[in-house]
Amino acid sequence: VFPVFPALAADSVPVPKIGVVNLEKLFEQYERTRGFKAKIQELSRTKQEERERIVSEIKEMREEMVLLNEEGRRQRQGAYEEKMKHLAAFDRQAKESLRREEEGALKVIQDEIEQTVTSFAKDHGFTLILVDRAVLYGVEAMDVTKEVLALLNERHQEGKR
């Protein structure tokens, strides 16, 4: 009996080497993620301080307007309304700025994790690496999260030098 597809003969089929990674753990414990989180928190804090300054100015204007007669209030009303519009615009801009910053950071981190997993798989002869959420059962020895995380953080440190 001759095999129909000689290339698929049992002795030529490579034995698959399969690994599993916990993407959530990689993401959370990656040093770059921690750095980006700190950067975003600082940016958020700065935006919040700026917002509080604008709100304080609005409150001050409102308090001054209460003390004015009707003519004085009418004259100040335009400036007050402009300040309120400025606050609304600032809120929109700040939210959008933070969203863009987070999206950019997530994209960079996601790309680096994918590149590192791919590189790790090739260097260690894996034919397939799965995300742990897609695996119903697997032996613990298949989990290469620690090894990939170590490589990821090592590459990050090398990039900082």
Side-chain angles (χ1 to χ4, degrees):
V1 175
F2 296 100
V4 177
F5 298 105
L8 297 179
D11 60 338
S12 68
V13 175
V15 175
K17 184 175 178 184
I18 301 171
V20 176
V21 293
N22 180 328
L23 278 182
E24 185 176 334
K25 189 174 188 177
L26 288 176
F27 183 81
E28 290 300 320
Q29 295 182 8
Y30 181 27
E31 290 175 19
R32 185 180 291 267
T33 302
R34 293 177 180 155
F36 275 131
K37 280 184 177 182
K39 180 181 175 185
I40 297 221
Q41 285 175 342
E42 178 60 26
L43 183 59
S44 179
R45 186 188 61 74
T46 302
K47 296 285 185 189
Q48 184 61 32
E49 288 174 357
E50 175 79 13
R51 185 183 194 285
E52 288 171 5
R53 186 186 60 73
I54 296 169
V55 167
S56 176
E57 291 172 5
I58 290 171
K59 285 180 182 177
E60 195 175 294
M61 288 177 85
R62 196 174 353 163
E63 290 169 1
E64 289 174 3
M65 288 173 62
V66 169
L67 300 174
L68 297 174
N69 62 24
E70 193 169 323
E71 179 62 27
R73 276 194 297 270
R74 198 171 30 250
Q75 289 175 353
R76 297 287 307 236
Q77 186 65 32
Y80 177 78
E81 288 173 4
E82 279 301 310
K83 194 58 112 170
M84 291 296 288
K85 287 179 186 177
H86 175 69
L87 176 61
F90 176 82
D91 283 346
R92 281 190 305 276
Q93 180 273 333
K95 185 182 272 187
E96 180 63 21
S97 173
L98 287 170
R99 186 191 60 75
R100 275 194 317 267
E101 190 72 30
E102 285 178 339
E103 282 180 0
L106 289 175
K107 177 76 173 118
V108 168
I109 292 168
Q110 182 180 2
D111 289 349
E112 288 177 0
I113 289 173
E114 287 177 11
Q115 290 168 4
T116 302
V117 169
T118 299
S119 173
F120 177 86
K122 288 178 181 177
D123 292 349
H124 292 85
F126 283 89
T127 52
L128 182 66
I129 301 251
L130 299 170
V131 175
D132 66 341
R133 289 185 178 184
V135 177
L136 291 175
Y137 173 78
V139 293
E140 202 170 307
M142 294 175 71
D143 189 346
V144 294
T145 303
K146 287 181 186 175
E147 294 87 346
V148 172
L149 181 61
L151 180 59
L152 196 58
N153 284 327
E154 179 183 308
R155 288 181 172 183
H156 177 65
Q157 286 301 319
E158 288 173 0
K160 288 171 92 176
R161 293 181 195 149

